Amino acid sequence: MAEVFDYIVVGGGMSGIIAARDLANAGHRVILLEARPRLGGRVFTDSALGGQLDMGGGYVHWTQASVWSELQRYGLDKTLKPPPSPETLYWLADGKVHQMENGNRHGLAEPLLKQMLGDARLLFPKPLDLNGVSDLQDESLKQRIDKLNLSSYDRDVLEGTLAGLVHDLSLHSALQMLHGVSAYMGQRTPKPKYS
Ligand SMILES: Cc1cc2nc3c(=O)[nH]c(=O)nc-3n(C[C@H](O)[C@H](O)[C@H](O)COP(=O)(O)OP(=O)(O)OC[C@H]3O[C@@H](n4cnc5c(N)ncnc54)[C@H](O)[C@@H]3O)c2cc1C
């Protein structure tokens, strides 16, 4: 006789696994269908270069309440490691390759990021409350950076830092990044002075 299920969950990424688990825990008959030969979806840890390497999702923060609660549930929040720091940091800015030993790549761009995004907590004092910032919704990251009047060196450092997050600065909304920063970054910082 064919087996009967109450729910079919399609996809064994983090969302599907959790949905299937919670439905099953609530007493429902559940089947989870996953197209790949492994679970995890876009979260996938592989082995390479003599260690473990996250090929997809790798960074988490306690502001990601749903993900964080799952990490806590399985005690994984205690096993997190900070990202490795490079022994030598190289960066291209103003037409030249620059180099720093034991370089802190976040420190390099931090003052520029503060100038660009320092008003995030003022705009979103409560990150889950999205009201009251509609006058900014058409501003792109490029327009926001243009207003800072940076030197070409600083502009290259800032844009190089953002390149890992943003495909096209003229298409990416400043508001989206400001909202993310307001949720993720600690202290309220002073409002930047634009020219
Ligand atoms: C390179 C990369 C880096 C990332 N870095 C971060 C990070 O640092 N921090 C962070 O929070 N997030 C990060 N993310 C995002 C995060 O990984 C995803 O938001 C999250 O894993 C999505 O989970 P999900 O279950 O919603 O979807 P997915 O993980 O995409 O799971 C969907 C699953 O459904 C399966 N599927 C699809 N269609 C079918 C079908 N028709 N039948 C059966 N199975 C199907 C897929 O094979 C897949 O396993 C990153 C993503 C990528 C790709």
Side-chain angles (χ1 to χ4, degrees):
M1 203 175 91
E3 209 173 339
V4 175
F5 296 97
D6 301 315
Y7 291 95
I8 301 170
V9 177
V10 180
M14 194 140 169
S15 335
I17 296 169
I18 291 166
R21 179 201 65 199
D22 287 351
L23 287 165
N25 284 347
H28 302 292
R29 288 164 299 179
V30 186
I31 185 164
L32 174 68
L33 301 179
E34 169 52 53
R36 291 177 168 128
R38 62 165 179 84
L39 291 173
R42 279 175 278 167
V43 176
F44 175 48
T45 308
D46 205 352
S47 299
L49 308 170
Q52 289 190 312
L53 198 60
D54 281 315
M55 307 299 281
Y59 294 90
V60 279
H61 191 280
W62 51 258
T63 52
Q64 292 166 275
S66 307
V67 178
W68 196 258
S69 71
E70 291 299 332
L71 294 180
Q72 283 187 316
R73 182 180 184 127
Y74 298 103
L76 295 172
D77 54 318
K78 310 278 188 308
T79 67
L80 296 175
K81 293 184 195 142
S85 298
E87 286 170 19
T88 307
L89 181 68
Y90 298 92
W91 69 100
L92 180 64
D94 210 14
K96 287 192 204 128
V97 176
H98 304 261
Q99 178 176 344
M100 188 197 293
E101 298 309 313
N102 299 315
N104 172 357
R105 70 189 170 96
H106 297 297
L108 196 66
E110 197 175 324
L112 300 166
L113 289 168
K114 274 194 178 146
Q115 275 190 66
M116 181 187 160
L117 301 166
D119 50 350
R121 280 278 170 103
L122 295 172
L123 290 165
F124 295 101
K126 296 178 186 166
L128 297 180
D129 179 359
L130 298 180
N131 294 317
V133 287
S134 55
D135 53 326
L136 259 179
Q137 61 190 349
D138 292 330
E139 189 178 67
S140 69
L141 283 176
K142 179 178 180 311
Q143 287 168 325
R144 192 155 246 256
I145 294 172
D146 285 345
K147 285 199 266 177
L148 296 173
N149 283 326
L150 297 176
S151 67
S152 59
Y153 171 87
D154 282 346
R155 183 150 188 145
D156 285 347
V157 169
L158 182 59
E159 292 192 1
T161 302
L162 294 171
L165 298 168
V166 177
H167 169 63
D168 185 334
L169 292 169
S170 59
L171 295 179
H172 198 111
S173 146
L175 205 59
Q176 188 273 342
M177 189 159 284
L178 285 159
H179 177 251
V181 167
S182 75
Y184 285 85
M185 309 295 168
Q187 297 300 312
R188 182 184 292 231
T189 45
K191 196 172 171 56
K193 290 190 178 60
Y194 292 117
S195 59

